[in-house]
Amino acid sequence: FLASAASLYALPSAVARRCTFGRAMERHKMWALFSGLMAFFLSISVLYQMAPFFQVYAEETAGASPAEVGAIFAVLPGTSFLFSVPAGKLIMKIGAKHTLVVGLTLLSLSSLMFGRSGSVQDWLFWRSLQGVATAAIYSSISCMFAKTFPSPSEFAYVNGLQQSVANVGFAVGPMLGGFLFQIGGFVWPFRASAIGHAIFSVISSFTPDNRPRSEAGEPLVEPDPVRHATIRDVLTVDVLLLLPTGILVPGFYGAIDPVLAKHLALCLGDIDSSITGVLMSIPAYPSIVLNFVVPGLMARMSADCVVVIGLLMFAFVQVALAWTDPDSAVYVGDGISPEKESEVQWAWQLSLFVVMGSATALGWTPLLPDLMEKAAARVQAREGLTHDAAVEAVSPSVSSLFNGAAAIGEAAGPIIGGIVYYRCGFSGTFFLGGLAFLSYAAVLISYRLKAKPQEAVPEIPRMSSAPKLRSAVMLPESITPRK
């Protein structure tokens, strides 16, 4: 957490030094990064902070069954998916900054009321409102970063930083939630979450808008209003082919989380729950490191290649996990002594967790920048916009699609994984999962080999020599102002 906090100071300034408009814009970018990343960290933490204690607490105080507890967990990503498209439309109407403030305020209220509730029905209601709030938060943060950092290299770097902060939230959320629950009871984790979101709701409302300013703080130019692209406008074949990645990666983690603790106990023996927690947090660390390497890989090879490599690594991890199941027909421990078998299992599990985190960085982190660039290229060629204007036009719709796909994976992963696990066991579940990832990667490779190289977009005549100012670009008559 301290390393992440330090990165919030050092890394935004490194990105901001690349900006076009000097110190005034540098300050704006640092504000946008700070408010967006901390809001993202808090919203990720609240999703996972109740994992260590909620199931036992709900069973003891409200008599909740395991199915009801599962429904309470699943209703958040489910409602987040349903409201991802309305969140994009809200961004088009009131802007990303105001949508973020609305989402943070709603998440603060719903988190506080969730902690004060004591029945399954109340928990379901407030958890669903948390899903509505996270849909607004995730879409607005993605859109805000895309508009503030329209350059492909900048946005890829910032997106990697965002995913690293998410990994910190995954690790810190359960630990912090369990600590607050232990010292203050059920209401304290959610009360602390409500306070944090309320604070950053206020901070986000004071984030400067995305316009170049003079040293005196006055806008240098008035921005030209552009028509935002709809979902239909950005759904190209390239975008449709990549969207399943946004479903498969969260779906994998959703499917493995409920069964991994039992699998580790079966493979590694009677290990303490704290050791299990440490093992399950291992994928976060290689992912944090590689998230800063991914932008460089995207510059040296296409983003599609990086995504395919990540998908192939996910396929390997799942097949290898199936081999470590003692009930598997092809078991890595067959024919060796019990002492050697334990060493082999520890080596396999630790190695696979590292590969799992690496696969997440390679398969997930490039996805949003890749989707944004593909959608922007189509709008840029069709409407004659500059690259920055095209990114601004497509960012609400692409953000909604991306976060909606992730919500589908988060909600469907535990359900589909549970059904397949019940019928096929651990090894069968993840062997089939590996086969699904491998098949999808083969489809992407086949399409890329057959796809024709994209034609270059012609330059748009400029009315002024001012560099990279959208107001200095002659927009075609087909682009109608946003009312």
Side-chain angles (χ1 to χ4, degrees):
F1 177 75
L2 292 176
S4 175
S7 72
L8 291 177
Y9 174 79
L11 295 175
S13 60
V15 176
R17 280 194 293 269
R18 306 178 188 178
C19 68
T20 307
F21 299 108
R23 293 183 178 179
M25 183 60 86
E26 178 178 331
R27 195 179 308 116
H28 157 70
K29 291 192 173 189
M30 292 182 67
W31 263 102
L33 270 180
F34 178 74
S35 62
L37 290 178
M38 289 307 297
F40 192 67
F41 169 77
L42 289 173
S43 60
I44 289 291
S45 299
V46 77
L47 296 182
Y48 297 95
Q49 67 173 356
M50 67 181 193
F53 59 83
F54 181 73
Q55 182 175 6
V56 175
Y57 179 84
E59 290 176 355
E60 292 178 350
T61 60
S65 67
E68 289 173 330
V69 172
I72 292 170
F73 273 94
V75 72
L76 188 153
T79 52
S80 182
F81 161 68
L82 293 176
F83 282 87
S84 58
V85 174
K89 294 182 178 179
L90 184 63
I91 292 172
M92 296 179 190
K93 290 184 178 180
I94 66 175
K97 181 178 79 172
H98 298 299
T99 304
L100 177 60
V101 172
V102 170
L104 288 171
T105 304
L106 182 58
L107 188 56
S108 176
L109 174 64
S110 56
S111 297
L112 179 63
M113 297 307 298
F114 187 95
R116 297 175 64 88
S117 301
S119 67
V120 172
Q121 292 79 8
D122 290 344
W123 284 326
L124 282 171
F125 175 75
W126 293 113
R127 189 73 170 170
S128 64
L129 281 187
Q130 287 181 331
V132 176
T134 55
I137 291 171
Y138 295 157
S139 296
S140 59
I141 290 175
S142 300
C143 183
M144 181 173 67
F145 284 168
K147 291 180 178 180
T148 308
F149 303 93
S151 166
S153 59
E154 283 186 358
F155 184 57
Y157 184 82
V158 170
N159 187 64
L161 177 59
Q162 182 182 354
Q163 299 308 319
S164 295
V165 170
N167 283 313
V168 176
F170 292 145
V172 170
M175 179 182 67
L176 185 60
F179 173 74
L180 291 174
F181 175 78
Q182 186 174 359
I183 65 172
F186 182 73
V187 70
W188 262 103
F190 304 98
R191 184 179 294 171
S193 173
I195 293 172
H197 285 97
I199 291 173
F200 276 93
S201 174
V202 175
I203 292 176
S204 298
S205 66
F206 288 100
T207 301
D209 54 14
N210 188 20
R211 280 187 285 174
R213 294 176 179 273
S214 65
E215 292 293 336
E218 296 296 327
L220 294 177
V221 291
E222 289 296 325
D224 287 327
V226 298
R227 179 181 66 84
H228 284 110
T230 64
I231 296 288
R232 188 175 181 180
D233 293 331
V234 302
L235 275 180
T236 64
V237 175
D238 288 340
V239 170
L240 283 172
L241 275 174
L242 275 175
L243 273 179
T245 306
I247 300 174
L248 286 175
V249 175
F252 163 74
Y253 282 102
I256 200 173
D257 281 346
V259 300
L260 188 56
K262 182 179 179 180
H263 171 74
L264 291 175
L266 186 63
C267 295
L268 305 178
D270 188 16
I271 58 176
D272 189 76
S273 59
S274 61
I275 301 298
T276 303
V278 171
L279 290 172
M280 295 175 69
S281 69
I282 287 176
Y285 303 110
S287 182
I288 289 174
V289 174
L290 285 178
N291 280 333
F292 296 103
V293 179
V294 166
L297 293 177
M298 293 170 62
R300 289 169 174 78
M301 63 179 74
S302 70
D304 292 349
C305 291
V306 181
V307 170
V308 167
I309 293 172
L311 293 172
L312 293 175
M313 293 174 68
F314 268 117
F316 166 76
V317 165
Q318 294 182 78
V319 173
L321 278 172
W323 289 341
T324 62
D325 182 13
D327 297 329
S328 172
V330 184
Y331 174 48
V332 295
D334 283 341
I336 59 178
S337 63
E339 294 80 8
K340 192 69 175 178
E341 179 184 357
S342 176
E343 295 177 6
V344 169
Q345 279 284 12
W346 274 99
W348 271 84
Q349 302 299 336
L350 291 173
S351 301
L352 290 177
F353 282 132
V354 172
V355 178
M356 191 186 302
S358 305
T360 304
L362 296 175
W364 178 257
T365 303
L367 182 59
L368 180 58
D370 199 13
L371 291 172
M372 202 73 72
E373 284 302 310
K374 283 178 168 52
R378 181 188 184 185
V379 172
Q380 183 180 5
R382 187 184 62 188
E383 304 287 1
L385 295 173
T386 63
H387 174 269
D388 291 6
V391 170
E392 180 174 349
V394 303
S395 57
S397 295
V398 173
S399 299
S400 298
L401 286 172
F402 173 76
N403 291 293
I408 292 177
E410 291 169 357
I415 298 173
I416 298 175
I419 294 173
V420 179
Y421 180 83
Y422 176 75
R423 294 187 175 274
C424 304
F426 184 91
S427 59
T429 300
F430 290 98
F431 180 79
L432 292 174
L435 186 61
F437 272 78
L438 184 61
S439 302
Y440 174 56
V443 170
L444 287 181
I445 294 172
S446 176
Y447 176 76
R448 290 299 163 218
L449 291 176
K450 295 179 180 179
K452 296 180 180 179
Q454 198 173 35
E455 295 182 1
V457 179
E459 287 287 329
I460 305 299
R462 295 182 181 273
M463 295 176 61
S464 168
S465 60
K468 295 188 179 180
L469 293 181
R470 260 194 318 119
S471 61
V473 178
M474 183 171 61
L475 297 178
E477 295 179 358
S478 60
I479 306 299
T480 56
R482 184 180 59 194
K483 295 181 180 180

